[in-house]
Amino acid sequence: MPPIPLVELNNGTKIPIIGHAMTVEACDATKGWMLTAIQAGYRHIDTALLYGTEKAIGEAIRESGIPREEFFITTKLPFNRQDRVAESFDLSLRNLGMDYVDLYLMHWPMAIPYRGAWLDLPRDADGSVITIDSPTFNESYAEMEKIYASGRAKAIGVSNFSIKTLEELFQTATVVPAVNQIERHPYLAESDLIAYHKRKGIATEAYSPGGHGNTVREDLIIKEIAAKHGVSPTQVILAWQIAGGVIIIPKSDKEQRQKDNINLPTLDEEDVEKINGLDRGERLCNRIDKNGKFWGWTKERLGW
Ligand SMILES: NC(=O)c1ccc[n+]([C@@H]2O[C@H](COP(=O)([O-])OP(=O)(O)OC[C@H]3O[C@@H](n4cnc5c(N)ncnc54)[C@H](OP(=O)(O)O)[C@@H]3O)[C@@H](O)[C@H]2O)c1
């Protein structure tokens, strides 16, 4: 299998265009499928303090015998630790057993009070997550900039930011985020946001790149293109992402799928156009709740 192509970020750091994502999972289970992913050729691994998988990733990398420098490791600042950035970052490094990460992302723009375990989130009488106004994401990002200056994160960026929240961030940021990691798939193409990223020098990274669940994978147009190329619907969706220059982080705990997800067909212009036509602005991973909120923020506040 040839190496996965690299994309240059706005500070010269290079990131493999396909990474392997993580779910919230027991470390022991993760380590096993992380090792098969490394054997398949993945060198870019996406995790987060919230997922609880940092330790397993560090162990799998050490067990693989491949030098740390050959990997691109991303981890993220949790929304309930926006007021303790330095401490959270140190904890992530300790979990990973590493002295630097390649990319440190702010996981979400909102700040939620810290209660220890991340699943123990404070909620109001309506069941919505309670958020706090201080620190602002501008203030937390300023703390991330200090980590970047120290060299312990080779690049910094954000996740789940919109044009609106990025504009707010730019009022104070001195380091342009290298990446914005967002939900993106054929039903949520995010063309305006991606055009904005290009103007600002921000790389787009897609999570839920296969469409989160089976809805997009079962779309008749996707299936038709998959049959034409003799590949799976997931491979077609991922190939469409790559055709758009988007970095992707598919996740599979199955060895064959891990291999398939880096062995993608080259789509014809006509295939790409057909898939572009499927966009319906639909969030499949992050659905707004019955109170009109997501993680305690309204659609308007999120800029969705
Ligand atoms: N930044 C954020 O806020 C944020 C939010 C949500 C998710 N994420 C990240 O993004 C990752 C991916 O999100 P997602 O789970 O919604 O992504 P997805 O890529 O749309 O779906 C992953 C699912 O697809 C299945 N799959 C993978 N490859 C396949 C293939 N070749 N054929 C058929 N099925 C396949 C996997 O099942 P098997 O494992 O059974 O193969 C898995 O359940 C998460 O793991 C997480 O790390 C980030």
Side-chain angles (χ1 to χ4, degrees):
M1 187 73 66
I4 295 167
L6 302 174
V7 170
E8 189 167 322
L9 300 177
N10 61 15
N11 67 351
T13 303
K14 294 195 171 89
I15 180 171
I17 196 160
I18 308 176
H20 202 287
M22 288 294 138
T23 43
V24 178
E25 213 174 326
C27 276
D28 284 350
T30 306
K31 197 171 90 181
W33 52 264
M34 195 68 267
L35 274 164
T36 58
I38 293 171
Q39 279 151 13
Y42 291 84
R43 294 293 177 271
H44 163 190
I45 315 288
D46 182 275
T47 186
L49 185 53
L50 284 181
Y51 304 159
T53 46
E54 290 171 322
K55 281 187 183 158
I57 290 165
E59 284 170 21
I61 287 176
R62 284 186 290 280
E63 259 180 52
S64 76
I66 299 167
R68 155 68 182 101
E69 303 68 49
E70 292 187 21
F71 288 89
F72 187 102
I73 307 296
T74 301
T75 196
K76 311 187 191 86
L77 171 71
F79 45 27
N80 61 345
R81 290 175 182 258
Q82 303 270 48
D83 59 344
R84 51 198 79 205
V85 179
E87 179 195 303
S88 296
F89 182 73
D90 286 346
L91 178 58
S92 285
L93 285 188
R94 277 203 306 281
N95 285 340
L96 287 160
M98 296 176 183
D99 54 10
Y100 73 94
V101 295
D102 298 276
L103 178 62
Y104 194 47
L105 299 179
M106 182 179 293
H107 207 144
W108 283 91
M110 71 286 292
I112 296 172
Y114 180 66
R115 287 249 189 109
W118 85 270
L119 288 170
D120 180 19
L121 299 179
R123 292 185 185 265
D124 64 19
D126 290 334
S128 288
V129 170
I130 294 171
T131 59
I132 41 178
D133 295 333
S134 174
T136 61
F137 57 70
N138 302 70
E139 290 165 335
S140 303
Y141 191 78
E143 294 300 311
M144 290 172 58
E145 288 176 339
K146 290 182 193 163
I147 292 171
Y148 176 57
S150 77
R152 293 184 306 150
K154 304 293 176 202
I156 55 171
V158 293
S159 178
N160 295 299
F161 273 58
S162 58
I163 295 176
K164 176 189 158 109
T165 46
L166 282 168
E167 283 287 296
E168 286 175 42
L169 184 67
F170 278 126
Q171 286 169 16
T172 55
T174 59
V175 177
V176 175
V179 164
N180 185 17
Q181 186 183 112
I182 54 168
E183 177 180 344
R184 192 210 186 225
H185 42 72
Y187 287 0
L188 183 70
E190 293 284 25
S191 316
D192 291 346
L193 179 56
I194 292 177
Y196 177 87
H197 287 165
K198 284 196 180 131
R199 291 198 296 278
K200 298 290 184 181
I202 304 170
T204 305
E205 193 170 279
Y207 70 75
S208 301
H212 190 73
N214 285 329
T215 329
V216 187
R217 285 179 244 266
E218 281 169 7
D219 187 287
L220 291 181
I221 290 186
I222 301 286
K223 281 175 142 178
E224 180 192 297
I225 298 170
K228 179 176 123 184
H229 289 275
V231 296
S232 71
T234 302
Q235 285 169 298
V236 166
I237 301 169
L238 298 181
W240 168 79
Q241 302 268 22
I242 301 292
V246 171
I247 301 161
I248 51 171
I249 46 166
K251 173 261 157 190
S252 178
D253 54 22
K254 298 175 182 62
E255 202 171 339
Q256 187 55 50
R257 287 179 175 179
Q258 292 174 340
K259 289 179 183 162
D260 291 347
N261 294 349
I262 52 176
N263 184 18
L264 304 176
T266 302
L267 300 182
D268 309 329
E269 190 85 9
E270 181 200 351
D271 302 329
V272 172
E273 284 307 318
K274 275 190 189 166
I275 301 174
N276 287 345
L278 297 177
D279 184 23
R280 51 196 205 199
E282 185 181 0
R283 288 175 202 281
L284 298 171
C285 182
N286 302 318
R287 293 182 193 274
I288 296 287
D289 68 18
K290 63 178 178 20
N291 304 319
K293 294 182 178 170
F294 196 81
W295 294 131
W297 270 19
T298 61
K299 213 166 162 278
E300 290 67 34
R301 183 68 195 92
L302 286 156
W304 285 0

